[in-house]
Amino acid sequence: MFDFDDLITYAILLLSSFKNVSNWVHNNIKYIMVDECQDTNSAQFVLINLLRGDNNTMLVGDVNQSIYAFRNAKPKYLENFADTTPNTLKLKLEKNYRSTRNIINAANAVVKNNKFGTKLEMFCDNEDGKKVQLYQAKYNYAEAQWVTSEIVTTHMYNKKEYSDFAIIYRANYQSRLIEDELNANGIPYVVFGSNSFYNRKEVKDLLAFCKIVVNPFDVVSFQRALSTFKGIGSKTIDAVINYSVDNKVSLPIALDYYSNNIATPKVSHAMNQMLSVIKRGYVKCVDIIDNVFVDTEYRSSVALINTDEARDSVQVMDEFRSLIDSLETRKLEGKTYSEMLDEISLLTDAKGDQKANSNAVKLMTAHASKGLEFNTVFIIGAEEGSFPHSNAIATGLDEDIEEERRLFYVAMTRAQKLLYITHCAYKKRDIGGYDSNKESRFIAEIPDSLKEYTI
């Protein structure tokens, strides 16, 4: 019944409460090595000190790659160890074996703007290589089109495998436009560290709401949409479906009957929220999403949770709304609700075999990219508010921006031969119109001699 946190917590209690246990550990374990030590949180560092006692300890880590503050991992634990532990020898391992000289120098130039931490000057014996390639698109969908076309061209004419390419972004929701373009061009891809955008729970939930509005006899979509409401379990849902079948009425009619005649007040309240979405008349499919956001607690309940996971979930919901709006206004004009939703369903169903294809473009967040390397890397969405993230900017704290800068440094140093950094001038608003974007401050921190704009 112990999870990983329990294993740490109770090991701390054991070692700190029973001297005979800690003495046994210190007498029998003379050498301890901690790898990736920049990722340790406060409890883990307490455990490290309890395990080692006065014995020999080696910590291996890179303060510049400390990127897990949301897990309470702080670079200060590794950084301060040498200052607080007598007879500690600090060795700097600054030679890089992965990237070209231009990529290393550009990454150094960015991360040196951080004030905290031991300064490292990475170097390599590799070739200079090409300068960091910058590209500004007018719109975010045009950015995705350009990145995809660059991959297609390089694959065809330079004979590079798809597995040579990685696309890195700050937040999960940003994969959607890239996935659309890769799918449209028949390019295989794998999403690392999370589900494909179209396989996200939020996307499938909202799609289910749309489908039950379009087809009031869609049992699968009805089950999924109704199960998103707290207090409504599988037995209740089955009872509503059985009433629909037995009485040969639509699912909304069955739900209305159950809500008014059988359900408890709490369950009835949730069912009435569902009915308020289903019963309304809609001119556009995007209006269905808006009414889910307004008439139910599906989005608002998550938005109240102050965690990275919750914020990511909300961003995925909002991106799905943008997708529906974009499809209705730009790509699928003249198609019925049902035809449009079928197109999206095909995208959610087309991802099952992607992970089996090793020769595929890799998509991932900057956090998921740590420890990996690729011939060619695209860092997309390099704009203020995206990378660095708006949450870090909003706090006004130097330490939050420094974490974002370390994260950008990690993304840059995943590239072996060629690094692209792209951004767009405008992004479409959910309510219509466009917002202008400001280029990420991290791009300005790369010296002009190490970067060039491409077309």
Side-chain angles (χ1 to χ4, degrees), residues 31-47:
Y31 302 92
I32 294 177
M33 188 193 81
V34 183
D35 196 14
E36 302 287 359
C37 195
Q38 77 280 348
D39 297 335
T40 51
N41 60 31
S42 53
Q44 291 166 338
F45 214 79
V46 168
L47 178 60

Side-chain angles (χ1 to χ4, degrees), residues 96 109 134 188 194 270 281 296 367-368:
N96 181 288
L134 305 179
S194 68
T296 78
H367 283 102

